Amino acid sequence: MRKAIVAGNWKMNTTLEDAALIIGTLVQLQAPKSDVERVIIPPFPWIVPLQQPVLDGGFMLGAQNCAVEDQGAFTGEVSASMLASFCTYVIAGHSERRHLFGETDDVVRGKLLAILRNGMYPILCVGELLDERDAGQAFEVVDRQLVAALKGSSKESLSELVIAYEPVWAIGTGRAATPDDAQQMAAHIRDTVASLFDIGFAQSIRIQYGGSVNETNAGAILSLPDVDGALVGGASLKAETFSRIIDAVGSRRS
Ligand code: 13P
């Protein structure tokens, strides 16, 4: 059985004091858990100071982005090789990177390769815009993003791959995808991965849903057969709320 994975993407939020408080409260609220990986994905500067409390508390650490290259004259970039001593997971292709910062499918693939090359696990984000969904192109867009990112990599190198389906219209809008839509797309992603590799591999990788996950909808989302976890933005900034979302994993597969 695939292990659940719930990750909190803090985006460009929190002061260092806020960050320490969220972790401290989360650790107090959360009993040790073996059925779910809990991942904190803070802004870059908090990764080093948070590493110890996050790991001591039984959580894992991730980064929101990384460079394609490992080093060199790339002012303002942070490389996967720099993150590798601290992080287990790195997000590649978040929709905010794709749409606000112009990351192309090729760039996302380069980042995915950098994450793998440096021994970390990618959380590859895919998802369609509202116009694309309304035009009936959601599957096509997600397939294009998946194929571009994964083609050419071996399934051995991708053994810890996590794919996050984050429909862009659901991010930060309070309008989550319906459980039916989330399940349908997660199953479709598995089919596409099966066609790129094989069914066994497609069944082994974990798929998260992200976009306005909150403590009210988490139970329904996390109990979907092809959804193995959640990538949570705004609701991960409140320790009590994020803790209840993690606890909703208990409603899964029971
Ligand atoms: P929200 O949960 O705030 O909608 O953000 C989702 C997201 O983008 C997580 O990466």
Side-chain angles (χ1 to χ4, degrees), residues 9 11 91 94-96 125 166 170-174 210-213 231-235:
N9 172 14
K11 309 191 179 182
I91 295 176
H94 191 281
S95 74
E96 285 149 21
C125 295
E166 296 207 308
I171 295 178
T173 59
S212 296
V213 174
L231 184 54
V232 185

Side-chain angles (χ1 to χ4, degrees), residues 123-200:
I123 298 178
L124 171 66
C125 295
V126 294
E128 80 287 357
L129 297 163
L130 186 56
D131 285 356
E132 293 165 336
R133 173 155 286 260
D134 289 345
Q137 296 165 347
F139 294 135
E140 192 183 314
V141 169
V142 166
D143 283 352
R144 190 203 74 225
Q145 294 170 337
L146 286 172
V147 171
L150 301 179
K151 215 172 172 185
S153 289
S154 68
K155 61 182 182 180
E156 289 75 23
S157 72
L158 293 168
S159 61
E160 303 296 337
L161 172 70
V162 176
I163 296 174
Y165 170 53
E166 296 207 308
V168 180
W169 45 270
I171 295 178
T173 59
R175 178 190 164 194
T178 63
D180 277 355
D181 284 342
Q183 166 55 28
Q184 206 183 13
M185 184 60 86
H188 178 82
I189 289 171
R190 245 181 249 292
D191 285 346
T192 300
V193 172
S195 71
L196 285 171
F197 300 96
D198 58 58
I199 290 177

Side-chain angles (χ1 to χ4, degrees), residues 7-111:
N9 172 14
W10 290 0
K11 309 191 179 182
M12 199 174 72
N13 292 299
T14 68
T15 62
L16 181 54
E17 289 72 22
D18 297 335
L21 198 63
I22 296 171
I23 299 300
T25 312
L26 260 180
V27 170
Q28 276 180 351
L29 291 170
Q30 282 282 302
K33 279 194 164 58
S34 56
D35 60 339
V36 54
E37 280 180 23
R38 301 165 293 190
V39 188
I40 302 294
I41 311 182
F44 282 135
W46 308 163
I47 287 175
V48 176
L50 289 190
Q51 185 189 26
Q52 216 49 55
V54 165
L55 299 186
D56 289 351
F59 288 72
M60 298 166 106
L61 206 46
Q64 299 174 16
N65 185 27
C66 70
V68 172
E69 308 290 343
D70 282 343
Q71 69 206 10
F74 302 103
T75 301
E77 292 289 277
V78 174
S79 71
S81 63
M82 293 168 181
L83 296 168
S85 319
F86 307 99
C87 294
T88 307
Y89 289 96
V90 185
I91 295 176
H94 191 281
S95 74
E96 285 149 21
R97 302 295 323 168
R98 292 180 190 263
H99 298 294
L100 300 177
F101 299 98
E103 282 187 12
T104 61
D105 287 337
D106 271 358
V107 167
V108 174
R109 177 165 183 276
K111 294 187 175 195

Side-chain angles (χ1 to χ4, degrees), residues 182-239:
Q183 166 55 28
Q184 206 183 13
M185 184 60 86
H188 178 82
I189 289 171
R190 245 181 249 292
D191 285 346
T192 300
V193 172
S195 71
L196 285 171
F197 300 96
D198 58 58
I199 290 177
F201 177 70
Q203 286 300 331
S204 74
I205 61 154
R206 293 176 297 172
I207 299 177
Q208 295 176 309
Y209 167 79
S212 296
V213 174
N214 57 39
E215 57 191 293
T216 309
N217 60 25
I221 289 167
L222 291 168
S223 56
L224 297 168
D226 280 295
V227 174
D228 305 300
L231 184 54
V232 185
S236 70
L237 293 165
K238 294 193 196 85

